Amino acid sequence: MLEQRLYLAELFDIYGPLLTDKQQKCLSMHLFEDFSMSEIGEELAVSRQAVYDILHRSEQIMAGYEEKLGLAKRLKVQQQELTGLYEDISSLSALDEEKIAHILMKLAPYTSKVQEELD
């Protein structure tokens, strides 16, 4: 369930702007604010069933975009490759520390290493 929710959040980050405003609001409240369907229905002045339908339809639309375009999968692969490069470069001997540091600094925003360095 958590894995599915994280996957939907990734899809929302990429394909969310392609959804209607109501779909975006509904998904955002569900995924990021942890609202129940009843709470979303009250907020949007629709029934709980309408919220369920909006969520289900939005998920199908985003999954369809991902199936056709594959942007989330491509992003994940690129991040893994860049992280591997980052780790390879950071493990090099200190031949030219300044040059290596410069390369690592340029790669860091595109890898998961950015968060680790900030912590």
Side-chain angles (χ1 to χ4, degrees):
M1 174 126 167
L2 179 62
E3 192 173 298
Q4 173 69 10
R5 205 170 179 131
L6 290 173
Y7 178 69
L8 288 174
E10 287 176 22
L11 292 183
F12 184 78
D13 286 343
I14 297 169
Y15 303 115
L18 301 174
L19 300 172
T20 66
D21 289 340
K22 189 174 240 179
Q23 288 170 329
Q24 288 179 34
K25 178 79 172 161
C26 192
L27 260 176
S28 178
M29 292 169 74
H30 179 68
L31 292 173
F32 306 119
E33 300 173 42
D34 203 30
F35 279 33
S36 70
M37 286 190 215
S38 298
E39 292 170 325
I40 296 169
E42 287 177 22
E43 186 76 23
L44 299 179
V46 296
S47 69
R48 186 182 176 286
Q49 182 63 44
V51 171
Y52 174 82
D53 292 341
I54 292 168
L55 290 173
H56 186 69
R57 178 77 179 126
S58 301
E59 291 170 11
Q60 287 180 328
I61 290 169
M62 292 189 309
Y65 287 143
E66 178 58 20
E67 186 178 313
K68 291 175 183 154
L69 301 173
L71 296 177
K73 184 177 180 181
R74 200 175 319 162
L75 258 166
K76 187 175 277 190
V77 167
Q78 287 175 346
Q79 186 176 23
Q80 289 170 345
E81 289 174 358
L82 286 169
T83 300
L85 283 171
Y86 183 96
E87 290 169 356
D88 290 346
I89 291 169
S90 64
S91 69
L92 291 174
S93 63
L95 298 175
D96 187 354
E97 288 184 35
E98 188 175 313
K99 193 171 193 173
I100 291 172
H102 180 72
I103 293 169
L104 291 175
M105 195 175 354
K106 288 173 79 173
L107 273 176
Y110 305 104
T111 68
S112 57
K113 296 298 179 186
V114 127
Q115 191 59 41
E116 292 173 17
E117 289 179 2
L118 293 176
D119 291 339

